[in-house]
Amino acid sequence: MKKFALHAVATVALLAFSHPASSTDVFRLEGYGAVSRGLGGAATAVDVGAPGMMTNPATLSLIKEGASVHLGLDMVNTDIDVRNQATGEVVSSNSHSHNRGPYVAPEAAFVYRRGALALGVGAFAQGGLGTEYGNSSFLSRATGALESGLENSSRLLVLSIPFAVSYAVDERLTIGGSLDAVWQGLNLELLLGADQVGSLIGSGRASGSLIGVLAGLPDLRGAHFSLTRDQPLNSGVDAWGFGGRVGLTYKATDATLLGVAYTLEASMEDMKGRATLTAVDGAAGQIPLNGRIKLRDFKMPAHVDFGVSHRIDSRWLVAADISRVFWRHAMKDINVGFVADGGIGNIDILLPQGYRDQTVLSVGMAYGVDNWTWRGGFRIASQALRSETLFAVIPAIPRKHLSAGLSYNFPAGSRIDVAYSHAFKQSMSNSTLPNTSDPISISHSQNNMSLAYVLPF
């Protein structure tokens, strides 16, 4: 009953949902809401409205008194190319199906502040990833240049539903916290060549009774995993869990605000669903095995955020955040377990990832005059992914962004926020088993647009 209720909340919150947002800081969005996005993602020590509960819930005490509704929309257009360095072939991630790109994800929130107390509840896309390479590129060729006609694609969506509270202890100090319901879903189409399968077995990263079944085929060329639902919200595997964060702000001077927040690593159930494991054989053809699959211990990382904002005068404001994201603990391996129907057998695979912890700097400036506020910012992050474990279907490598935004306050009190950010092209290569068979080079850039409407009442 609890899981049904949470599904209902998510469905209502994402009623207009069409595709997941593709992330920029690995799987995380580079700021929540158009105000933060326009400031380069800064949000720890500045009023960014209702989406502030996703970074530092204590900033809810900075909003105006009364109640308001926040309705927003994120739109992401990616540009991803994968080059086979041995042959020179290039494949681009495009909309080969209705399942992916361009990516759109709405957000909604309600906040209320009266006196020292502020409350908020919302639904936000926390991050995700999407690729679509089709079924006719070199990524769909098994060992020995055997054309398989099988898809290579991915779609990850992470949705957070925070329940937040903030309390102003005195004129200088506010404290806040949130408890989040977290849902994540994954679609994946992935072909592993026979050399990749052999590398996984040889390094002790693949085990189970299906290993013998695959080894017994006359001319094994590869194995393909398919776990996809071609639907807006449902995914091949999904799971619920919980997370949360705590934070505070401190008014150092009348013009300077400091902030700090800590977001917990999400505690997630294993993502479960149905899948097909297809053995690709040069003599026997393709042998599909249907069964149950789970992805174990897949979760969003903990992170700590430090922020400062300073009001230069009545018109100018500067803000900056520095964050440390603990990917190393959260993303060591992609842990896959598959059990074929009918007791045929099972296979467990550990696909190496070994992400590094990541440092992110966000800096923004705002200028307000009359009913308008103009914003600009930049964001730069250290690289969390390792080249030797890079997957074509998980090219989460951009790390430099430039952003701009504006807000307009209508005379009746409502407001519209707009922001644009550009992720500069980042490239990375991998020629190492088991995550690639061919030597590949990936380039990834993207353009993000964020819109929001705030209605007080």
Side-chain angles (χ1 to χ4, degrees), residues 33-35 50-51 68-73 107-109 407-418 450-456:
V35 175
S68 64
V69 170
H70 171 100
L71 300 174
L73 193 69
E107 57 190 31
S407 295
Y408 179 76
N409 293 284
F410 294 98
S414 60
R415 187 182 81 239
I416 187 168
D417 304 319
V418 182
S450 182
L451 304 173
Y453 179 70
V454 181
L455 177 65

Side-chain angles (χ1 to χ4, degrees), residues 55-377:
T55 302
N56 184 0
T59 61
L60 293 184
S61 291
L62 303 176
I63 64 176
K64 294 180 180 179
E65 286 217 7
S68 64
V69 170
H70 171 100
L71 300 174
L73 193 69
D74 274 307
M75 295 170 285
V76 181
N77 185 32
T78 62
D79 184 4
I80 304 172
D81 292 328
V82 183
R83 176 180 293 273
N84 185 324
Q85 293 181 305
T87 65
E89 297 169 276
V90 177
V91 58
S92 298
S93 175
N94 295 312
S95 298
H96 294 280
S97 77
H98 299 295
N99 199 25
R100 283 157 280 271
Y103 307 107
V104 179
E107 57 190 31
F110 170 80
V111 292
Y112 174 77
R113 180 188 161 212
R114 183 171 182 179
L117 184 66
L119 303 172
V121 60
F124 299 88
Q126 188 174 353
L129 183 80
T131 63
E132 178 61 84
Y133 299 113
N135 58 10
S136 59
S137 75
F138 68 88
L139 295 174
S140 295
R141 284 202 297 263
T143 299
L146 179 64
E147 299 287 350
S148 72
L150 296 171
E151 299 278 347
N152 279 270
S153 60
S154 63
R155 189 192 76 178
L156 171 70
L157 172 67
V158 183
L159 168 70
S160 185
I161 305 171
F163 299 85
V165 59
S166 178
Y167 183 76
V169 179
D170 54 35
E171 292 183 355
R172 293 190 178 276
L173 177 66
T174 67
I175 57 175
S178 74
L179 180 63
D180 300 9
V182 181
W183 176 88
Q184 60 188 23
L186 175 70
N187 285 340
L188 184 65
E189 303 282 335
L190 176 64
L191 176 65
L192 300 173
D195 54 346
Q196 293 174 270
V197 176
S199 177
L200 289 165
I201 296 172
S203 60
R205 288 183 166 272
S207 60
S209 56
L210 280 177
I211 295 294
V213 175
L214 294 175
L217 294 173
D219 186 17
L220 180 67
R221 301 292 188 89
H224 180 267
F225 283 98
S226 175
L227 45 146
T228 294
R229 289 188 184 181
D230 193 0
Q231 298 175 9
L233 184 59
N234 288 336
S235 299
V237 293
D238 65 355
W240 281 93
F242 67 90
R245 61 192 58 83
V246 293
L248 61 85
T249 65
Y250 180 74
K251 200 170 186 180
T253 71
D254 289 342
T256 303
L257 186 68
L258 306 177
V260 61
Y262 180 78
T263 296
L264 301 171
E265 183 177 270
S267 178
M268 303 299 299
E269 298 176 347
D270 293 337
M271 290 195 286
K272 300 176 182 178
R274 299 285 299 174
T276 300
L277 170 61
T278 300
V280 181
D281 189 84
Q286 296 185 9
I287 306 168
L289 300 174
N290 296 319
R292 292 175 287 110
I293 196 167
K294 65 172 62 175
L295 269 69
R296 309 179 183 98
D297 206 30
F298 193 102
K299 55 199 173 186
M300 297 295 281
H303 55 94
V304 60
D305 307 284
F306 300 94
V308 58
S309 67
H310 178 73
R311 183 159 290 283
I312 299 171
D313 56 31
S314 61
R315 294 186 175 185
W316 287 98
L317 173 78
V318 293
D321 282 6
I322 187 165
S323 306
R324 186 67 172 172
V325 188
F326 303 107
W327 283 108
R328 182 178 178 182
H329 184 268
M331 195 59 62
K332 297 178 181 179
D333 300 294
I334 298 177
N335 188 336
V336 182
F338 176 80
V339 180
D341 294 340
I344 296 174
N346 74 292
I347 188 170
D348 293 294
I349 296 177
L350 290 173
L351 298 170
Q353 292 296 278
Y355 287 6
R356 305 180 183 94
D357 289 344
Q358 185 181 44
T359 300
V360 185
L361 173 66
S362 305
V363 177
M365 178 173 285
Y367 175 76
V369 57
D370 298 328
N371 293 332
W372 293 90
T373 302
W374 303 86
R375 301 181 184 91

